[in-house]
Amino acid sequence: MSTDHAHHADRSLVVHSYWPYAVLLGGLVGVIRPALTIFADIGPTTGVLTTLPEMQLWWVLHIGYSAVFATGYGLIVYHHRLRPFSESIPMGAVLGLGYGVALWLGNIVIGWNLVLAPHLLSMSTPIDPLAAGPIVDHIVYGLGLGVVYAAVVPRLDTYRG
């Protein structure tokens, strides 16, 4: 019986959560970083993005993985304890900030520096985990995602289970 309930709960999260909206919003928020580089010449590209031959490919990849990471945010904040907070702009900003910090830890500190650069992409160089650029990039993304999600999702006419 408990297995059926667990299966139903997992299925409900995927079916009823707002992750599809988070994917779209994450892609839109993901445009911020490439736009700052292209239009305002603010900040260099880092990590694997420096190895790409053309800037258009960088745009596509950045927006794509911003959308993918937003899926995680959409699934996490759908939890019944976080949902009311994620739908409030101030608290959405706090949740987004936390998510941005978690992405920085996961992507830069662990993913890039401990896994990708030394083992899988040995021609690339590690990123200084305490450099301002990567920290600010991930925090801005998280804040943007949290605020945009809180501003848009509660206004959608969808299932509110």
Side-chain angles (χ1 to χ4, degrees), residues 26-126:
L28 293 173
V29 172
V31 170
I32 293 170
R33 182 66 182 102
L36 287 173
T37 300
I38 291 171
F39 298 118
D41 198 29
I42 297 174
T45 59
T46 58
V48 73
L49 301 177
T50 60
T51 64
L52 300 177
E54 297 184 26
M55 185 59 91
Q56 294 82 5
L57 185 56
W58 185 76
W59 269 85
V60 171
L61 282 175
H62 192 276
I63 293 167
Y65 66 68
S66 294
V68 168
F69 291 137
T71 305
Y73 181 81
L75 290 171
I76 290 168
V77 300
Y78 187 74
H79 188 275
H80 68 90
R81 291 184 181 160
L82 294 177
R83 197 176 323 154
F85 299 113
S86 72
E87 296 177 359
S88 155
I89 291 177
M91 289 309 297
V94 171
L95 288 172
L97 174 71
Y99 193 69
V101 170
L103 285 177
W104 167 73
L105 283 170
N107 291 343
I108 302 299
V109 176
I110 296 169
W112 185 260
N113 287 335
L114 297 179
V115 177
L116 292 176
H119 302 291
L120 300 175
L121 301 170
S122 58
M123 292 180 10
S124 62
T125 57

